[in-house]
Amino acid sequence: MGSPVFHLKDAIPEPFWLTQAGAPAPADPLDGVTTADLAVVGAGYSGLWTALIAKERNPSLDVVIVEAGTAGWAASGRNGGFCAASITHGFDNGMSRFPDEMDTLLRLGQENLDEIGAAVDRYAIDCDFHRSGELHVATEEWQWRELQAGFAAEAAHGLDVELLDRDAVRAEVDSPTYRGAVLDRTGCALVDPARLAWGLRQACLSLGVRIYENSPVQRVAASSAALTLHTWRGSVRARQVVLATGAHGRLLKRLQQFIVPVYDYALMTEPLSEAQLAAIGWRNRQGIGDSGNQFHYYRLTADNRILWGGYDAVYFNGGRIEPSHDQRESTFKVLADHFATTFPQLEGLRFTNKWGGVIDCCSRFSAFFGTAHGGRLAYAAGYTGLGVGATRFGAKVMLDLLAGAPTELTRLKMVRSKPVPFPPEPVRSGVIQLTRWSIARADANQGRRNLWLRTLDAMGLGFDS
């Protein structure tokens, strides 16, 4: 296949999903003083699901969303659109951290995915939601061995999975790199992520939620009677507040010890012709992820483009979040080269879009939850790149925490516990960069983890996207 630079040279440096036609006009910024029963900070999936479910539970509740940009502009509009049933960042991660409640978490995750599909239907959200399933593919023998071991555990816990050997997986999707795969038939849906966010926004408006966009919240002030969100042009005084800001949250200092902002990058191809699609198969249109420590995720879009992302999870020293980090040419070239290796049949295919976005990563890879200000503010963060589906579960947790009465969700160890905190800077940067280097070494060395990675494993620390 030709040089990756050639195939990238015309790519637009913008997220494909967010440049589509049909984006809603921005709501007016917050201007002046207002009040609410519940104020939600952030109009990504986490905040939108929270507002929507709050109104469904209590239609008389006065709910306000205050968003720094526009709905879905950050991680919710830049991801791969993998809407997974897993709320623990995969089966293996969940089993390693919450083994005693794993069957419950699997059930809750599957119910959550079913409820997302029902909401998409109920509100007529046009977001190409379809229950595609997902292929977890092995491209090295060590990955194939690990997949086989993981498959046995997943099947024992009742997951609808199938083990595919080399010929069987290549009959599904034809890549010369595949050694085998596990097909998860029911644990993943694919979705147009921006259109899901826009549809949830409209659903919120239809139920009477007020939304203010382009209104960054600068601080939260507490009094005995209320919490007040202050923006540069106004304020919201509310009985209760939900913080749904992901990696962009700076309003609650305690969260900073648990979250690091990690950049993930993706490419989008031009639409495949019928002949190109026939050359690789993919008739069942599953989402695909490979099984290295540095992994790729990829899927077809409604118009038969291929989204190709992942592999290079980048932490900029000091945890800086800057618009310039959304573009990283060295990563795009690596991704294009890996695409060429995976699908040599598609020689000549062009990439039309290239982009990055920041992920709220925590050391246990799955979300954590809590309250502040005497139980009047709830938060969820740390989805670590698998929040398209899990944020709806997190929204329910936050609302249950605010309600105060114990529920099945709030009694979970996953909800009651916190991840191991990251060390402060500059040690944090050194630890993360050493971990990134070690992960790359493990992938190049048949998956063998060095002493540093084994030490982190024993401490419950990790770094992932």
Side-chain angles (χ1 to χ4, degrees), residues 267-279:
L267 302 172
M268 186 72 85
T269 75
E270 63 188 337
L272 274 63
S273 67
E274 290 186 9
Q276 287 170 324
L277 190 57

Side-chain angles (χ1 to χ4, degrees), residues 71-274:
W73 73 273
S76 296
R78 297 165 184 260
N79 61 81
F82 286 66
C83 189
S86 177
I87 54 179
T88 61
H89 208 279
F91 177 84
D92 290 344
N93 188 58
M95 279 296 293
S96 71
R97 301 178 190 280
F98 317 110
D100 293 340
E101 59 188 28
M102 193 61 196
D103 288 334
T104 298
L105 294 171
L106 289 171
R107 172 180 58 79
L108 291 170
Q110 195 63 55
E111 289 173 357
N112 185 62
L113 183 57
D114 292 342
E115 290 163 359
I116 291 172
V120 166
D121 291 341
R122 183 163 64 252
Y123 294 105
I125 298 175
D126 182 13
C127 62
D128 192 34
F129 180 94
H130 58 285
R131 301 291 287 264
S132 60
E134 185 174 6
L135 280 168
H136 302 276
V137 301
T139 59
E140 301 285 349
E141 285 301 322
W142 67 269
Q143 296 173 16
W144 179 224
R145 291 192 297 270
E146 291 188 357
L147 276 183
Q148 291 176 85
F151 162 78
E154 291 170 353
H157 281 264
L159 274 68
D160 187 6
V161 290
E162 179 182 357
L163 195 65
L164 305 179
D165 64 16
R166 184 196 305 259
D167 291 341
V169 67
R170 291 191 65 176
E172 291 288 338
V173 183
D174 190 12
S175 170
T177 65
Y178 294 168
R179 308 294 183 93
V182 172
L183 172 61
D184 181 351
R185 292 191 184 88
T186 59
C188 184
L190 292 179
V191 66
D192 180 321
R195 294 194 186 280
L196 175 59
W198 298 341
L200 290 174
R201 177 187 185 275
Q202 180 56 43
C204 286
L205 291 171
S206 74
L207 297 188
V209 175
R210 290 178 287 144
I211 299 177
Y212 299 101
E213 294 178 307
N214 296 308
S215 302
V217 176
Q218 298 170 330
R219 62 188 177 93
V220 180
S223 69
S224 60
L227 299 176
T228 302
L229 308 179
H230 291 275
T231 72
W232 71 287
R233 289 176 58 177
S235 63
V236 180
R237 189 170 183 267
R239 283 193 308 109
Q240 295 179 319
V241 168
V242 160
L243 204 58
T245 51
H248 297 270
R250 293 292 184 270
L251 296 173
L252 193 61
K253 187 175 181 180
R254 72 182 66 169
L255 296 184
Q256 296 177 27
Q257 64 182 316
F258 297 117
I259 294 174
V260 294
V262 172
Y263 277 80
D264 181 55
Y265 296 91
L267 302 172
M268 186 72 85
T269 75
E270 63 188 337
L272 274 63
S273 67
E274 290 186 9

Side-chain angles (χ1 to χ4, degrees), residues 391-451:
T391 45
R392 186 185 180 279
F393 171 81
K396 293 171 66 177
V397 171
M398 289 188 285
L399 291 171
D400 284 1
L401 289 171
L402 289 176
T407 67
E408 180 183 29
L409 303 189
T410 62
R411 285 189 289 265
L412 292 167
K413 178 183 177 183
M414 179 184 177
V415 171
R416 293 183 289 105
S417 62
K418 295 289 191 295
V420 176
F422 292 99
E425 294 288 4
V427 176
R428 176 180 296 194
S429 290
V431 165
I432 291 174
Q433 301 307 352
L434 175 58
T435 305
R436 292 183 67 231
W437 176 83
S438 297
I439 286 171
R441 285 285 302 272
D443 280 342
N445 195 28
Q446 293 297 304
R448 288 190 285 272
R449 298 172 76 79
N450 63 16
L451 177 61

Side-chain angles (χ1 to χ4, degrees), residues 352-383:
T352 62
N353 294 76
K354 55 185 180 180
W355 72 91
V358 66
I359 294 169
D360 57 332
C361 293
C362 73
S363 64
R364 75 182 192 186
F365 307 149
S366 55
F368 62 95
F369 313 90
T371 61
H373 296 295
R376 293 178 293 169
L377 180 149
Y379 60 83
Y383 290 97

